[in-house]
Amino acid sequence: MPFFLRKIRKARWANDKGYEWLGAEDIQADALSDLKTENNELSVWHVEEDESNLRQIVVALGANYKKLDTVDYALVDQRVLLTAGIKAVEAAGDTPYENANEWHRNLIELTAEKVIEIAKNMRKERRIARVWPQDLQRHLTRAIEAGEVKLSRLEERLQKELQGRTL
Amino acid sequence: MISLDSAGSIRPISRSMWCKTTSETAQEWIPIAPQRRLRDKTAVSLPGADTGVCIELRWNAMGSVNAATGEATTVSSPGTIIFPHSALSHGVTFISYHSEEPSFAEAFSCSTETLLTVSSQTDAILDMRVPLSASREEKALRLELVTRVAEIFEDAKEELFEDGMESDFEEKLTKLIVQYERNALAVLRSLLFLRSVSFEAGAEALRIVGHLDHPYTHSERLKLLEECLTHSRFEIRDGAVIGLALLDNPSAIPYVRNAIQSEASQSLREDMAHLLLQLQETLDALFPKKD
């Protein structure tokens, strides 16, 4: 079964921070800021079961950046969310990586309970990862060289960093 | 944090104050503790301070250290000075005292000064390590910067930080670092280590410190990030790891190695190991090994 990818901040989801009040299966309240909805919808990306399009999605996310940074994300099994009654609809992404935009989805008609359900599954599945700035730079450079992303469509600051900075 | 419970009973302050000696041979910072807050007073232990020692106390009431002077206090019991609560609630407080007490004089010379800051928002005492040799202007600048950096962090409470995105916090902090260089970084360090700022914002600050393209402050930013690798809070350590990845200076390798040894969090250890690998690759690229 494929996954949904949600961009997060990894530190908000770590449970081994050494806080006595935070159990191994608990979710910090701050983590919910990574699941901020708009019109009761949540932006996610469709990742194939074999993760064959994961790199492209990471590039799409990075291409929307204003500066080089980490790309932290969580993967959650689509089946689990759909079984819980969470609906997903196709909604083209708005990134400079046009070929990847088709993988964007919105989770819709979300209640607070459903958002918590999403958080619980993200916590349970522990598929949380980080793409480092240096790796993002490599991915973006490759995508630009391959003609997948136009440099001119990136934010000016990011363009400069890709052209002039060696990480 | 200092707080007083409803009954007005004494509650110990969790952090130490530090003072700097003027001794030529012992230029070390030494902890002076404990501090306790009473209903309307704060008691501070200062080494060598004994009955009869005159304490000069000043604070920054209107944004200028020189504009206001505080009241002199005397030691009420050996080694302990009681400050009126009002004296520590006006922003930045500067304390200096002289001691002729033999053991103190022998160990630490005879003059000590300490800077205390009390944030009106958090009621936290901050440690500001300003060299005794610093000029009056530099001391005043540091004190002013404490207020300004604290305000930037206060404003950041309204912001939600997101990877790769810019923020007002970044713009303000960057401007301050570029303008005031090591003084701004010293103040930032104090705020981070005295745990008086939001840790999310603190971690964001370290990303900014690592990302900044400003050669004049490179070595001091590197030092700050290295120090924060062993900070007591996970978020700050994580911010330091990302900041060092952005700075990409292999000089940090020994510090990262040491941090891995002491890191309790498995996920952070893994990130540190990744950082170590990156820095090693950078080092190898700079100095290729000959076959």
Side-chain angles (χ1 to χ4, degrees):
Chain A
M1 196 67 180
F3 303 94
F4 286 127
L5 177 150
R6 173 69 186 174
K7 188 166 165 278
I8 58 163
R9 274 223 158 165
K10 193 178 166 189
R12 294 177 185 145
W13 294 84
N15 276 48
D16 55 353
K17 295 182 172 182
Y19 302 160
E20 284 177 13
W21 55 271
L22 188 65
E25 302 304 320
D26 289 339
I27 302 165
Q28 294 168 78
D30 282 357
L32 294 180
S33 58
D34 283 330
L35 299 176
K36 190 172 176 294
T37 57
E38 197 172 324
N39 295 323
N40 302 308
E41 295 183 358
L42 192 68
S43 166
V44 294
W45 293 81
H46 167 90
V47 177
E48 302 290 359
E49 191 169 1
D50 61 1
E51 301 181 19
S52 55
N53 62 339
L54 182 57
R55 185 191 68 83
Q56 288 100 316
I57 290 171
V58 166
V59 171
L61 289 168
N64 254 0
Y65 276 11
K66 292 183 185 296
K67 57 181 181 179
L68 279 172
D69 204 345
T70 50
V71 181
D72 292 352
Y73 63 85
L75 294 179
V76 59
D77 192 324
Q78 287 192 12
R79 181 178 41 203
V80 176
L81 296 192
L82 299 177
T83 305
I86 293 166
K87 294 180 189 171
V89 294
E90 291 184 11
D94 182 21
T95 79
Y97 193 174
E98 288 173 8
N99 289 345
N101 287 337
E102 63 177 292
W103 291 310
H104 185 260
R105 304 283 185 272
N106 280 334
L107 303 182
I108 61 167
E109 299 171 9
L110 290 172
T111 60
E113 288 77 13
K114 284 178 179 172
V115 171
I116 296 288
E117 192 63 29
I118 295 167
K120 280 181 180 172
N121 281 288
M122 283 166 63
R123 173 72 258 153
K124 191 176 163 190
E125 292 183 33
R126 298 178 191 277
R127 296 288 309 273
I128 289 171
R130 168 170 287 166
V131 177
W132 293 79
Q134 193 182 46
D135 296 327
L136 178 63
Q137 183 182 30
R138 286 189 193 123
H139 289 322
L140 280 170
T141 303
R142 253 182 247 152
I144 291 163
E145 285 170 356
E148 296 165 340
V149 174
K150 284 184 182 166
L151 182 67
S152 59
R153 285 203 58 196
L154 303 183
E155 287 284 339
E156 196 176 336
R157 181 175 173 187
L158 183 60
Q159 283 185 39
K160 282 181 185 168
E161 287 182 353
L162 289 173
Q163 289 173 319
R165 183 174 175 143
T166 307
L167 272 181
Chain B
M1 297 287 290
I2 316 163
S3 57
L4 188 67
D5 62 26
S6 55
S9 61
I10 299 168
R11 187 177 290 182
I13 296 168
S14 59
R15 63 182 67 90
S16 297
M17 290 166 50
W18 298 75
C19 66
K20 175 82 170 170
T21 75
T22 54
S23 164
E24 289 298 317
T25 56
Q27 289 287 338
E28 297 294 328
W29 289 92
I30 56 169
I32 45 177
Q35 306 149 66
R36 289 177 187 277
R37 179 166 244 197
L38 314 177
R39 179 179 289 279
D40 59 352
K41 297 181 180 71
T42 297
V44 178
S45 298
L46 293 175
D50 207 340
T51 306
V53 171
C54 182
I55 306 297
E56 187 184 77
L57 187 64
R58 286 174 283 157
W59 65 83
N60 180 357
M62 300 294 290
S64 167
V65 179
N66 299 323
T69 54
E71 56 201 276
T73 60
T74 53
V75 179
S76 62
S77 62
T80 300
I81 298 156
I82 305 291
F83 296 109
H85 174 70
S86 60
L88 293 177
S89 61
H90 286 82
V92 179
T93 305
F94 177 78
I95 301 168
S96 62
Y97 69 101
H98 298 273
S99 171
E100 300 300 330
E101 202 266 330
S103 60
F104 176 72
E106 188 180 324
F108 303 113
S109 181
C110 61
S111 180
T112 299
E113 69 178 351
T114 290
L115 283 175
L116 295 178
T117 66
V118 179
S119 157
S120 57
Q121 283 86 21
T122 61
D123 200 24
I125 288 190
L126 307 179
D127 162 41
M128 276 294 299
R129 298 192 284 180
V130 182
L132 204 61
S133 57
S135 67
R136 193 178 185 84
E137 289 74 22
E138 188 172 15
K139 286 175 186 169
L141 174 63
R142 289 268 182 110
L143 298 177
E144 184 195 333
L145 285 174
V146 169
T147 308
R148 289 180 62 178
V149 176
E151 280 172 2
I152 290 172
F153 273 95
E154 189 65 20
D155 292 345
K157 287 180 180 171
E158 306 298 319
E159 291 197 71
L160 180 64
F161 300 116
E162 204 181 337
D163 291 358
M165 297 297 134
E166 293 170 336
S167 63
D168 289 344
F169 179 69
E170 179 184 10
E171 191 183 340
K172 291 174 192 169
L173 191 62
T174 299
K175 273 185 187 168
L176 214 65
I177 293 172
V178 169
Q179 187 173 356
Y180 296 105
E181 301 181 346
R182 66 186 177 89
N183 282 315
L185 289 163
V187 169
L188 176 60
R189 181 198 175 282
S190 294
L191 287 163
L192 291 174
F193 276 91
L194 288 153
R195 303 167 56 128
S196 63
V197 294
S198 135
F199 295 112
E200 176 110 359
E204 187 69 16
L206 294 177
R207 285 178 188 241
I208 294 164
V209 162
H211 205 282
L212 187 59
D213 186 12
H214 189 246
Y216 298 110
T217 53
H218 184 99
S219 61
E220 301 204 343
R221 287 184 288 121
L222 173 67
K223 191 179 166 201
L224 173 61
L225 292 167
E226 288 167 347
E227 282 184 282
C228 288
L229 282 173
T230 50
H231 194 280
S232 60
R233 291 293 295 231
F234 177 97
E235 291 86 350
I236 300 295
R237 300 198 300 278
D238 183 60
V241 168
I242 295 170
L244 284 169
L246 287 160
L247 200 66
D248 201 30
N249 186 331
S251 306
I253 286 175
Y255 295 88
V256 180
R257 280 209 184 101
N258 285 342
I260 290 172
Q261 299 294 319
S262 61
E263 180 55 58
S265 158
Q266 187 187 335
S267 59
L268 205 44
R269 264 201 316 275
E270 288 167 4
D271 283 350
M272 286 174 174
H274 189 286
L275 169 64
L276 189 60
L277 201 64
Q278 176 190 319
L279 297 177
Q280 193 60 56
E281 283 174 2
T282 302
L283 184 65
D284 292 344
L286 288 169
F287 303 101
K289 288 171 187 164
K290 290 177 184 172
D291 293 329

